[in-house]
Amino acid sequence: MAGSAISRMKLPRAAAQPAPAVVEHRDRMRPPREYQSPTPTHELTAVMARRKWLILAFALVGGILAALIGLARPVMFEATSQLIIDPPSRSSLAPGGSSAQDLIDSSIDDHITMLSSQGHLRRVATALHDMETVAPGQGTPKTQTPGRNSGPAATTRSRAAELIERLWPQSAQAAIDPDLKLLRNRIRIGQELRSRVISVAFADEDPTRAAMVANTFSQVYIDDLAKKRQAEDGLELKAVAASLPAVQSDLVTATDRLEQYRLSHGAVDQGAADNAARERADLSQQISMSNADLAAMESRLQRIRDLRKQGAPVASLAEAMGVPDLADLAAREAKAPADKDLSARIDNEIQQGLASVETQASTYRAQVDALEDRKNVLDVVVADTASRLSGLRALEPQVNLLTQRYNELLSRQQDLTRRIAAPSAGVSILSPAWPPAKPQTLPPIFLVPPGMIAFAILGAAFVLFRSRFNRTLRGEAETEAALRVPCVGLIPEPGKIVLKQLRELILDQPKSAYSRAVTSLLVTAAPNQARARFPHTILVTSSLRHDCANELAWSLALAATRLGRPVLLIDLERTHHPLTQEFVRQGGGPKAHRSFGDFVRNRCSLEDAVVSVPGAGVDLMTVAPAEDLLELLARADSLECRDELQAEYSLVIINGPSGLVGPEASLLTSWADAILLAIRWDKTSRDIARGVLELLQRDRASSIAIGSVLTRVNLKRHAKYRFGDSGNLLLARIP
């Protein structure tokens, strides 16, 4: 190899270099893929299939925890006591009001509320303490208050309770009486269907104690309710006894007034009063008829008088008087007007008819007067009878009401006396609680399936949550959509290998997945090598140090030796990878060659700056750890250096520093014809990779082809994502 005799240490050019040509579509590494976001169903199915063993592990852990909890928890026995409510009385059913079932439901609600009240729980706890105090010699749990234990377990539990109290302070009332809290947590009160029966159940480790507490709970309620009703009946009896003398005195006074009224006014018969009223009504009817006849007769008399004053004909007078003979005489007079006897007879008849009408009118008038007098007498009689009868009726209701009130008080007094002697709570025990034979707690085996299901769901949720918020890159199409540059290939995970093994894997096993992936990537990134054999420079960089850019660079260099052309690898990492260190040792040690800085400063020829190992087919140029790479790249003529390198080597691979280390990677873009960004599969965040790409594309995005490479891909796990890219092809075996 001939070194250059021209110095490459020049100051930056004052004139701006011409802008590079825009990269056409045909100059790109590969056309972009069409990325379609997976549907939720496809994504869910893929995630579940990929993480099925993790979900199964969650389910197994849940089953084990459920079994341990089932073994650790105490075996509980539940004893049930049944109470029955007295049916509502008929007197309590108002017409058109609530039905009997509504009253029963309301009563059931009242009793359940009172059974669950704080006061009743305290009375039951007090009764249980009293039972323990009465029989102090019995050491069995039968008479022990719920929640009270002794021994080391009680000491441990008290310390745990003290610690819990410090972390979560309880109310003062709950801290004073822990038995009350235990009783409230273990008691269960409810109605049996739609009946009048209330069930009271208590759960405890000891079946005998459970039955005792349930019966005590019911009996204390019945006794307390009976005492309350007895006290209420006693107060009511005192009030009844105090009001009886006053009612009795009022009754005696009202009775005396009634008897005195009867003696002073006489007895009044209701029948006589009714007869007088009936007779008065008949008399009023007769008076009305007589007045009508009198009015008719007076009208007739007045008409006759008016006819005589007017000198009416005799025929008209005869018709008004109703005398037929007068009409005959009038007819005869008309035939013999000169007959004086006939005229005298007519006058006489007129006088008699008029006198007859006047007599009838006088008769009717006298009759009406007589009836009026009779009516006045009857009015006086009726008024007197009504006065006496009203006074009697005003006194009798008072006596009746006082008598009824007095009898009710006597009956109520007797009833209260009987109820006080035999008090009733309105509730009775239908069935006392017996010690149960079967435990309420399910066996631990029954808790395993729910625990497994619950933890499997939790594991699935964890997997979905983790997958949803995973920002790493895995698929080729996904990487292209996230970074907006082509993803030129996948590199399988080779494991932790040395240079010799890597050479054997690529060169001696060309059908292996790793060799095929690297060779395909080389052909895609440097197509001129397979076509026109033009020199080509590839810059390999990464976002972070663990993205395996050094492995990728060495793999490409070894794969390029299969093309039969000289290959140069420039490693610009200050802390060299073990592959580079091994290569340097094989080439004669770190002092056997000069560095990249010496070549750039023209301190040595290109032949002196590289080291080669016989049989490897790859030359290596490194940078010294003490050299400032940024200064070297800023002052060097990249085009002149690249031309000199490409004059000796058909392929130059530059292993540049990671993009997050500094601006060195951006300065190296002018040295390369193509840039490969190494991205660690399922490790590198897409945000970091996108940021590094923006730094690389800031000045030369239009002139240099840039592609991404996914390194250390777990092909089996990759296939579970169902991306349908080249990872599936690498899994296929070649015959």
Side-chain angles (χ1 to χ4, degrees), residues 302-321 326 330 333 346-347 350:
Q302 185 65 31
R303 183 170 180 275
I304 294 172
R305 291 176 178 173
D306 292 340
L307 290 175
R308 289 189 65 186
K309 289 180 179 180
Q310 296 174 2
V314 178
S316 298
L317 292 174
E319 183 181 359
M321 292 180 183
L326 184 59
E333 183 182 12
I346 290 174
D347 294 335
I350 291 174

Side-chain angles (χ1 to χ4, degrees), residues 74-147:
V75 179
M76 305 296 290
F77 294 86
E78 187 178 72
T80 303
S81 173
Q82 291 181 330
L83 302 176
I84 185 169
I85 310 299
D86 293 345
S89 59
R90 294 182 179 274
S91 59
S92 59
L93 297 176
S98 301
S99 62
Q101 186 62 41
D102 294 337
L103 293 178
I104 291 175
D105 294 340
S106 177
S107 178
I108 289 289
D109 293 340
D110 294 340
H111 285 292
I112 290 177
T113 303
M114 289 188 291
L115 282 168
S116 307
S117 63
Q118 186 80 6
H120 179 64
L121 292 176
R122 286 196 171 276
R123 286 190 293 270
V124 174
T126 303
L128 293 174
H129 283 294
D130 294 341
M131 293 174 63
E132 182 183 7
T133 305
V134 170
Q138 299 180 1
T140 62
K142 181 177 181 180
T143 57
Q144 187 177 359
T145 304

